[in-house]
Amino acid sequence: MRGIRLVVLASSLLSVGRAFSADYDVVVYGGTSAGIVAAMKADRLGHRVALVCPETRVGGMTTNGLGWTDSGNKNVIGGMARDFYREVKQHYSSPSAWTYDQQDKFSRYRPDDDTMWVFEPHLALAIYELWLNDSGVEVTRDAWLDCEQGVSLRDNRIVAIKTLDGGHYAGRVFIDATYEGDLMAAAGVSYTVGREANSQYDETLNGVQTKNATSHQFDRPIDPFHTPGNPASGLLPRISSEPPGEHGAADNRVQAYCYRVCLTDVAANRVAFPQPAGYDPAEYELLLRYLVAGSRHTFGKFDPMPNGKTDTNNSGAFSTDNIGKNYDYPEASYERRQEILDEHIRYQQGYFYFLANDSRVPNDVRTRMARWGLAKDEFAETGHWPAQIYVREARRMVSDFVITENHVRRTLPSERPIGRGSYNMDSHNVQRYATQKDDGTWVVLNEGDVQKSPGGDYPIDYGAIVPRRGECTNLLVPVCVSASHIAYGSIRMEPVFMILGESAAEAAHLAIEGDVAVQDVDYRELRERLTAAGQVLE
């Protein structure tokens, strides 16, 4: 799809010849919501700031379809994050922005007098672009870190980073705001990928989750074989032939990704679901069997947004999550990541096309899905498809402080809070497999879904965004934070990333002003600055 490419081959990038070199106080790599807020905050604190974006469309998931904000307790979202949602509210000042059948729901999406948490993708982008245009932040787009030779280190400090297009950015403090943690990894900082065993941090919800898996699960027996009842015929597509593993054990698998597509049933603004190149209806045979068996799960997460649109998310056992197809992504090359993204686009576009067009789909599902389509006035530059996939989890830093389930539940202390989280400990499914029941029949099951409340909001410790002592003294990591898999499932929400981005910028300011390592920033002074800026720490 034109415009949705992750990266051009390095040789092509270099041929552009956009050589660039400059010195900055703060260099932020990654144009996510955390990156934008971090860059903006550092600029407001009087620093010369570079925001180096591999993206062309900045804002991460906030501007790429995740308009139904996953927030938890909204009262603990302060600072610049809250400013963003205030600006959303100012735009949607009356129910007139909603279609007639959404009027009764309008008040539900306005939890207080000054903010609103549901919005269209183009509005989020407009707010961020306005912020950047009104700032002194120097923004470079489509600039990809040279992950092999692009990080210059001296005495455990990053001196400069180099991008594949010839850009060279020297700085005093660096912030990795990517979803993947590419700068962190290239700087030699310790990290992990996958799920820890429950035993590693004395947790209960980490590792393989084969017991009591009922959410987004097949709720009726579905045969997994091409010829039902005949294992020799082979498994249907999108079912793993590997065993799931022991409950609670560690593995390197990653929870599923998807695109949060913006759909509409407003005829004048609807674009029919495209048939993707390489479309094969056989890929959806398992879904078909589930629907024929009576499931009607497909519309469970068409969460409404203004002007007759949706933030469409995964719902049920076979949905927009492309389970098991992203394991390579966190540590992959740009080229390999592009292959994974292409596969996800084919899968998810094929999913919608299949449901809306295949005559075998039960009529009530097919006719209802056919009324929907992509929103014509969103993502025009990428064929009305989001530019950013939902990277729910990739690399996670391993620092001297690791946030675990016990910190999220507040049974262990976090003594240097720089913000608060509150969302469920949320992991999407990680794998889909076939298993034999006691009566000898075979069925399909999903594994990995966890949705567990932490029981309230909790502090996020400063130690989770700084590397181990002795690894890198001028790097802050507000997205790929030091947390276990299940704790990260609660932290990984866009408002929290904004909060941590602002806190990282305040810490960068103190590190520069005091000429100290980020690990040695005076927390009492940091706390005072964060509180004065409206961050909620208690």
Side-chain angles (χ1 to χ4, degrees):
M1 231 175 154
R2 188 174 183 273
I4 213 163
R5 303 298 295 175
L6 170 70
V7 69
V8 183
L9 293 177
S11 59
S12 299
L13 278 169
L14 292 172
S15 69
V16 174
R18 192 177 67 194
F20 175 82
S21 181
D23 296 335
Y24 299 91
D25 296 317
V26 179
V27 177
V28 180
Y29 182 63
T32 61
S33 56
I36 292 172
V37 170
M40 291 287 300
K41 185 66 173 187
D43 173 68
R44 293 176 184 180
L45 293 171
H47 297 290
R48 187 181 181 195
V49 183
L51 177 58
V52 184
C53 307
E55 307 91 345
T56 55
R57 182 187 179 100
V58 297
M61 289 306 300
T62 298
T63 66
N64 278 280
L66 206 167
W68 181 272
T69 305
D70 298 320
S71 55
N73 180 3
K74 298 172 179 61
N75 293 322
V76 301
I77 299 170
M80 292 178 67
R82 197 167 195 89
D83 290 342
F84 174 85
Y85 297 104
R86 287 191 181 107
E87 295 207 23
V88 170
K89 167 66 181 301
Q90 290 170 10
H91 179 81
Y92 299 119
S93 58
S94 76
S96 62
W98 300 77
T99 59
Y100 176 79
D101 64 348
Q102 295 173 324
Q103 296 289 326
D104 62 331
K105 302 177 183 178
F106 179 75
S107 61
R108 290 178 53 203
Y109 309 137
R110 300 170 62 196
D112 54 41
D113 291 335
D114 71 338
T115 58
M116 183 167 169
W117 308 85
V118 182
F119 49 85
E120 297 162 275
H122 73 265
L123 174 63
L125 180 63
I127 292 172
Y128 278 149
E129 292 287 10
L130 182 62
W131 282 13
L132 291 172
N133 288 339
D134 288 346
S135 76
V137 176
E138 299 180 30
V139 183
T140 307
R141 304 172 196 248
D142 196 22
W144 297 82
L145 179 68
D146 181 345
C147 293
E148 298 298 324
Q149 299 178 324
V151 179
S152 299
L153 294 163
R154 183 184 305 132
D155 298 327
N156 293 326
R157 292 179 62 85
I158 302 173
V159 176
I161 64 172
K162 182 176 66 175
T163 52
L164 292 174
D165 58 2
H168 184 273
Y169 305 84
R172 299 181 66 182
V173 174
F174 292 78
I175 297 175
D176 184 344
T178 64
Y179 292 123
E180 295 84 4
D182 286 340
L183 175 55
M184 170 187 74
V189 171
S190 297
Y191 68 86
T192 189
V193 173
R195 300 181 285 187
E196 298 91 349
N198 273 326
S199 58
Q200 182 168 343
Y201 295 120
D202 191 26
E203 297 176 299
T204 65
L205 301 174
N206 213 334
V208 175
Q209 296 291 308
T210 52
K211 296 180 181 179
N212 304 316
T214 58
S215 181
H216 301 288
Q217 183 61 274
F218 291 91
D219 60 3
R220 61 205 70 198
I222 305 298
D223 191 282
F225 302 114
H226 282 283
T227 301
N230 181 10
S233 66
L235 292 169
L236 291 173
R238 305 195 175 276
I239 302 174
S240 172
S241 60
E242 299 294 323
E246 181 183 352
H247 181 81
D251 67 6
N252 61 359
R253 301 181 180 105
V254 180
Q255 62 175 304
Y257 300 167
C258 71
Y259 287 89
R260 295 287 283 259
V261 292
C262 183
L263 304 183
T264 184
D265 61 354
V266 178
N269 195 36
R270 186 181 67 231
V271 176
F273 293 118
Q275 179 178 321
Y279 169 73
D280 181 0
E283 292 287 311
Y284 308 96
E285 175 65 26
L286 180 60
L287 171 62
L288 179 63
R289 289 186 187 180
Y290 195 37
L291 294 172
V292 170
S295 178
R296 292 297 182 267
H297 66 282
T298 50
F299 300 95
K301 286 294 289 180
F302 276 45
D303 291 323
M305 294 194 297
N307 296 310
K309 298 174 187 172
T310 70
D311 168 356
T312 303
N313 196 10
N314 182 80
S315 176
F318 193 120
S319 185
T320 57
D321 276 0
N322 195 3
I323 298 173
K325 300 297 183 179
N326 61 339
Y327 299 159
D328 292 350
Y329 184 89
E331 298 181 284
S333 67
Y334 295 145
E335 292 80 8
R336 174 60 184 139
R337 283 183 187 164
Q338 185 60 60
E339 293 173 356
I340 294 169
L341 295 186
D342 288 343
E343 207 284 329
H344 278 69
I345 294 167
R346 282 193 298 271
Y347 165 75
Q348 200 166 339
Q349 288 184 348
Y351 168 85
F352 287 117
Y353 183 84
F354 176 82
L355 288 172
N357 292 279
D358 197 294
S359 61
R360 298 171 298 163
V361 173
N363 185 64
D364 59 319
V365 176
R366 187 178 71 256
T367 55
R368 184 180 176 188
M369 187 63 77
R371 293 198 298 267
W372 291 89
L374 305 179
K376 186 186 300 182
D377 62 349
E378 300 287 354
F379 312 115
E381 68 281 5
T382 52
H384 313 293
W385 194 263
Q388 172 69 58
I389 198 170
Y390 195 176
V391 179
R392 292 188 171 94
E393 187 175 349
R395 296 182 179 100
R396 303 187 311 280
M397 183 166 63
V398 179
S399 188
D400 294 323
F401 187 98
V402 179
I403 303 173
T404 70
E405 177 184 339
N406 302 299
H407 297 96
V408 171
R409 293 183 185 273
R410 300 173 308 286
T411 58
L412 285 178
S414 299
E415 297 177 343
R416 297 183 295 169
I418 56 171
R420 299 186 77 81
S422 63
Y423 199 75
N424 286 346
M425 287 176 280
D426 181 350
S427 173
H428 281 232
N429 276 309
V430 176
Q431 57 184 324
R432 178 180 291 136
Y433 64 100
T435 187
Q436 193 170 26
K437 298 171 64 177
D438 291 341
D439 63 4
T441 60
W442 287 81
V443 295
V444 183
L445 291 176
N446 293 333
E447 182 277 314
D449 187 274
V450 177
Q451 298 179 46
K452 191 72 173 179
S453 170
D457 55 274
Y458 57 88
I460 298 173
D461 197 278
Y462 178 62
I465 70 168
V466 296
R468 286 173 172 165
R469 287 187 177 275
E471 287 195 341
C472 191
T473 60
N474 67 335
L475 175 67
L476 293 143
V477 185
V479 177
C480 295
V481 300
S482 178
S484 72
H485 157 74
I486 197 60
Y488 192 80
S490 175
I491 296 166
R492 62 169 179 83
M493 304 303 154
E494 291 289 292
V496 177
F497 288 154
M498 296 184 208
I499 291 167
L500 298 182
E502 182 174 4
S503 297
E506 289 279 12
H509 171 74
L510 292 177
I512 292 169
E513 293 294 296
D515 193 23
V516 296
V518 294
Q519 292 85 354
D520 295 324
V521 163
D522 185 332
Y523 175 69
R524 289 173 299 179
E525 188 173 358
L526 176 61
R527 181 187 180 91
E528 290 176 2
R529 296 186 65 88
L530 294 176
T531 301
Q535 294 274 46
V536 180
L537 305 184
E538 298 295 344

